Amino acid sequence: MSTGLTAQQIEQFTELGYLMVPDVFTDDEIQPLRDEITDVIDGAARRMLAEGKISQTWEQEPFETRLTRLYNECDEILPPIVGRAGGGHSGPAFFEFISNKSLLAKIGSLVGPEIIGSSVYRIRPKMPGYAKGAVPWHQDSGYFSPHCDKDLIVTCWIPLVDTYPENGCLQVLPKAHREGVSRHFTNGPGGFLVIEEQDLPVPGPEAVTVPVPAGGVLLMTNLTPHCSSQHEKDVVRWAVDVRYQSADVPNNIGEVPADYSEERPTHEIACYPPEADFVLQSPAQPEMVVDSWHAFHEIRQRFENERPPGPRRGWVPAETAQA
Ligand SMILES: O=C(O)CCC(=O)C(=O)O
């Protein structure tokens, strides 16, 4: 029986803007996704071996280290993995993972029973020397359209391995989600949006480092500032970030990219138009629920080749703002 969050957990999430819940996934529920990611790595490694770019496919290495071995030999291993295993990845194990009943029960406690999978999900490997592994201070709303700033989109950060400060777990700023959206710059480390130190909500509480075990979930609001730093351990800190919202929050359910129009009222424009949202739970309209991997894959593929433009928030590079 899948249970929702306790009243105390809901209160912590509401007060602090984050909540770590251990043991949401069993190891048996995580392993198929590790295997699916391994298949992507395997395909890329075999191609690179055939092209003479690496000495071996390192298939004896465990999930936590194989990518570091391949990456040390040739950094071309990453695009096929990060490209496909990011928002472009919509495999069967990933669908099972994102529609996990135990996780949806907890999300339901925060957004209600009508649950939409937000279009923005990513699979992130982090390892020494990979600049895009670490993500600087930001709020997820920095990436969403401004008309969704007052809505709740719950970020679930779910590591596939145990995470702790030494392998780059996340840091959050408690209570700062009450201060609205901070100024972001477009040219942060790794090419990510960044909130510079002086723009973080002040007077701010101290940042908190949140170790999360494999199977646990760090829940955050879209306004919770968070970041993760580089690490130097010889392991890959694999994590997945997925997001959920209520059906009341703007979305692009039932649309194709050609339907996108800036002329529509904002409540009819998705919070992140370039990728496809999908219904995961709906007592009101059960026929809308995406209940198979094939349906999920088809919806995601619709937005693969032709994408509506991303949100325009007016963020600029730091130099431009200071000039
Ligand atoms: O996985 C990370 O290191 C960063 C994740 C993140 O920033 C996010 O989920 O918004």
Side-chain angles (χ1 to χ4, degrees), residues 124 126 133 135 138 140 155 157 170 226 228 237 241 243:
R124 296 181 208 256
K126 184 199 307 213
V135 181
H138 68 285
D140 285 354
T155 295
W157 187 80
L170 257 55
H226 59 285
S228 75
R237 190 233 57 190
D241 41 273
R243 293 168 183 76

Side-chain angles (χ1 to χ4, degrees), residues 76-87:
E76 286 174 37
I77 188 71
L78 276 176
I81 293 158
V82 182
R84 257 206 77 198

Side-chain angles (χ1 to χ4, degrees), residues 108 110-117 147-153 244-253 265-271 277-279 281-285:
L110 300 172
V111 308
E114 301 290 319
I115 303 178
I116 286 184
H147 68 270
C148 297
D149 286 355
K150 293 206 164 17
D151 293 314
L152 175 62
I153 303 170
Y244 302 90
Q245 61 185 64
S246 149
D248 297 340
V249 175
N251 60 72
N252 57 16
I253 300 299
T266 51
H267 69 270
E268 291 179 13
I269 298 180
C271 298
D277 300 313
F278 39 94
V279 181
Q281 182 176 293
S282 177
Q285 290 181 282

